[in-house]
Amino acid sequence: MLSDTQSTAIQQLIHSFESNNSPGMALGIIHKGAFVFQQCVGLANLEDRIPITSHTVFEVGAMAKQFTAACLALLIEQGKVDLEDNIAPFFPQMPNYGHTIQLQHLVYHTSGLPDYLELAHLKGLGNDAHYDSDFALKLVFSQPHLAFLPGEEERYCNTNYLLIGQIIQSISGLGLRQFAAHHIFDPLKMHQTFFQDNAHEVIPNRAIGYSVSETQHSEVFPAGINVIGDGGLRTSLDDLLQWDQNFYQNKLGQQTESFNRLLLRPGSLNDGTRFDYGFGLILSDYCGMPTQRHGGVFAGFCAEMIRFPNAQLSIICLSNQANMTPWTLVEQVAAIVFDLEPKANSPRNNAWAVDLQPATDLPEELLEQYVGYYDLGAASPLEVIKKEGALLLRYGAEEELLIVPKTSQVFVEPSYNITIKFFNFDSKGAPFLLFKTPEQEIIAAKVLPPNQTIGDLNHYQGNYYCASLKVVYCLFIEDNLLYLSIDFAPAIPLYFSEADFAETGLGIIHFFRDNQNQVNGFWLNTEHIHHLEFKKLHQPQHSHE
């Protein structure tokens, strides 16, 4: 299938990931039932210097959803459940939302339920926290409202597949791990694949997930979340060959073609609008070719598997390096395999063409000119900061992103595919930057630092309690700035856009007041959760008698 030229091009593409001292990846190309290319680079375990192989076991994050959905499809095939079934009987602890949530709403992410991972984050729990499915369910069902009416929107939500896993257990009497092993992994001889329902178990041939520290050193990514269904799957490159081939000749359940057709059936909204999501699979296209794909990111791992059914070809990338982007890599490999690489003289290629090697020895004076705030048209500006001779992007309380110079004007951030180009810093014109991602381009003028002192900040400080999350946020003043802290987590600055409206790394805060115009609480609005209410806790009056 692959020519020598193509194989060489792919090897050159992944050459930058080859190292004897760092995490890495397993990359494979499947064509008509067999691997036509495999390359494993880097270490599965840095401490013991164990190399990655095709049978190294990786966590694959949200890629697990297609396996959870396949388990559900087997129960549907057996007539034990229907997509239009109401999920309420399976969860007596679920609030009465006033609207029926059907099983299909979970499968297609149209339920309106909040994401338990986002709720945990708002409660101050990160990926290194220790909790299980029962805790996640309590978080979800403590929220009294849906984000939208079931079937009205499609909004990706991990809670949906957590609930599907619970429903599978209720119907079959088997935990998701046992059901999947008996009905999917054993029949397909996927002997290294399983749902990990014990975060502390010993796993032969396992890879360790790593993050990258601020000093660019690898660190073990701690993980204690013990929730499966939406994630929690361990698998290997070799095992995924068997799963991939089942989409061409089904060996599961009644071994009919209708099983695979169900997995690949796209979802639709209440108004009939169809969208490109199936049973845990994104049904899309790449350069006009239909694809079936899904990726995942979790606890230092990232993965992507893309299938081109018309060509009977699939590309898989499994990595134990948190800052890798396998979804980009598999598309770059696909461009080589299908001879789709852009021509060197194409206008699109030249518009932002930059040298692949970083620019070095840029004058400190030039970097200092770039430092400052840039108006993206949002509640708070984008900030360019300088640390140890390098430039970084900072937006609100989000993570700082290192940008690498490609020329004296153009800088790139590879993880999120961001390109920054600075303009008018050597002329009398107003300086600005062009912020470019694959989805958008924004012209951002350089502006003065944001006004942090809208009104008297003393009115806002205090403790605020959210009853549905059972968490207290502490707002306090330091160096004339207002900060938010959750327990002992690092404080998050608040950026005011106007009185009573502030942006944080958690979301947008809208303070509300009582009849005496005193701040009485706030609503927190995130991308997916709206009007999460926090009430201000008033300090008791102490007697001086």
Side-chain angles (χ1 to χ4, degrees), residues 121-187:
H121 177 61
L122 295 175
K123 193 174 172 64
L125 304 174
N127 288 333
D128 57 344
H130 291 262
Y131 59 85
D132 58 13
S133 296
D134 289 340
F135 178 85
L137 290 173
K138 289 178 182 177
L139 269 183
V140 171
F141 293 141
S142 67
Q143 307 308 307
H145 306 293
L146 297 174
F148 52 85
L149 299 184
E152 289 296 308
E153 296 182 28
E154 181 215 1
R155 187 179 296 176
Y156 187 87
C157 174
N158 289 287
T159 297
N160 294 321
Y161 278 71
L162 162 62
L163 298 189
I164 292 174
Q166 299 289 309
I167 291 170
I168 290 167
Q169 179 171 339
S170 296
I171 294 172
S172 69
L174 297 174
L176 179 60
R177 177 172 182 159
Q178 290 72 33
F179 186 93
H182 183 70
H183 293 280
I184 295 180
F185 304 140
D186 290 346

